Amino acid sequence: MNQRLISEIGRTQRLEIINSLKRTKGMSVNELVGRMNMSYMGIKQHCITLHRDGYLDTWRRPQKMGRPEMVYRLTRRSHDLFQADSHQFTLDLLKSAQEIYGPNAPEKLLYSIFKKKSAALKAKAKGDSVAERAKWLAHVRDGEGHMAQFINNKDDGGPRVVECHVRNRPGHARAARSDSQLRSVRVRVSFR
């Protein structure tokens, strides 16, 4: 299921909550209120519904003073709502290419594909400055379901695009490395 399908079948506020939580390790209702243009009770009700439907779970985040704060985060079920980068067909195809054409074949295939994608994006890129082009790229990639976000913090390396990708979901083949790989990976693309 992709982001466009979700936006057609679900409420936009719920989709916005899920997208906000995907970009973080979890957020409280107050943090979501600060990010969205909704009331506390409206966001709270959507979080309760998403929790009931199995897309969110809760945990208590310790505070410096006072009671722990309840924080919402995504469950494994919610990973099906986002584009995955480890589909079985792709892995089987790369393995077959390696068996037929040698150990470097998968890397060469991927390099060729990403080179063409980069050239196509570069030809369509809008904006005069690096920051404007990075912002445009983040918007395009986010629309494709890659959870892309433009960040322009001069103290932290300047303009960049940060993406969240689901990796090694249960029921899918694991990459050749180790079982201890992270299930979710953040990719940073710098524009310098």
Side-chain angles (χ1 to χ4, degrees):
M1 197 182 291
N2 65 29
Q3 292 285 299
R4 286 186 202 104
L5 181 58
I6 298 167
S7 63
E8 291 173 12
I9 63 172
R11 298 185 101 173
T12 12
Q13 295 90 356
R14 291 183 191 152
L15 179 61
E16 193 174 341
I17 289 169
I18 289 173
N19 285 337
S20 294
L21 292 172
K22 176 67 177 173
R23 292 183 171 107
T24 65
K25 293 181 181 180
M27 296 175 78
S28 68
V29 173
N30 284 327
E31 290 169 328
L32 286 165
V33 167
R35 197 174 265 205
M36 299 171 64
N37 191 18
M38 277 185 69
S39 69
Y40 179 91
M41 288 309 296
I43 290 177
K44 178 76 172 167
Q45 189 59 45
H46 285 304
C47 287
I48 289 170
T49 302
L50 290 167
H51 184 265
R52 182 197 67 213
D53 294 344
Y55 293 106
L56 302 181
D57 74 4
T58 60
W59 61 288
R60 302 258 180 214
R61 181 170 48 197
Q63 301 277 0
K64 289 184 180 181
M65 289 178 43
R67 296 170 50 182
E69 179 178 39
M70 184 161 51
V71 176
Y72 287 94
R73 61 183 171 195
L74 298 180
T75 62
R76 286 188 182 190
R77 181 174 185 209
S78 65
H79 290 300
D80 291 334
L81 303 175
F82 302 97
Q83 185 163 331
D85 68 349
S86 61
H87 296 291
Q88 184 64 44
F89 177 77
T90 304
L91 295 174
D92 291 344
L93 186 65
L94 292 173
K95 186 175 181 182
S96 295
Q98 183 177 19
E99 291 168 357
I100 295 169
Y101 299 109
N104 294 332
E107 190 174 321
K108 289 178 181 179
L109 282 171
L110 291 172
Y111 177 78
S112 175
I113 289 168
F114 288 120
K115 186 176 177 183
K116 288 176 186 174
K117 281 188 173 197
S118 296
L121 284 171
K122 187 175 181 181
K124 291 191 258 180
K126 296 178 181 172
D128 296 326
S129 70
V130 172
E132 289 172 358
R133 290 190 301 273
K135 193 172 189 176
W136 175 86
L137 177 63
H139 177 73
V140 169
R141 296 285 290 169
D142 193 54
E144 294 172 349
H146 295 285
M147 300 304 297
Q149 184 177 10
F150 173 72
I151 298 172
N152 191 8
N153 185 346
K154 293 178 183 174
D155 297 333
D156 191 22
R160 66 184 187 274
V161 175
V162 178
E163 293 185 359
C164 298
H165 294 273
V166 177
R167 188 177 178 106
N168 293 335
R169 295 185 334 197
H172 286 74
R174 296 208 176 268
R177 297 194 182 162
S178 73
D179 285 347
S180 64
Q181 283 182 310
L182 296 175
R183 291 196 185 282
S184 133
V185 167
R186 286 190 169 258
V187 177
R188 290 175 73 173
V189 180
S190 296
F191 291 86
R192 292 190 183 158

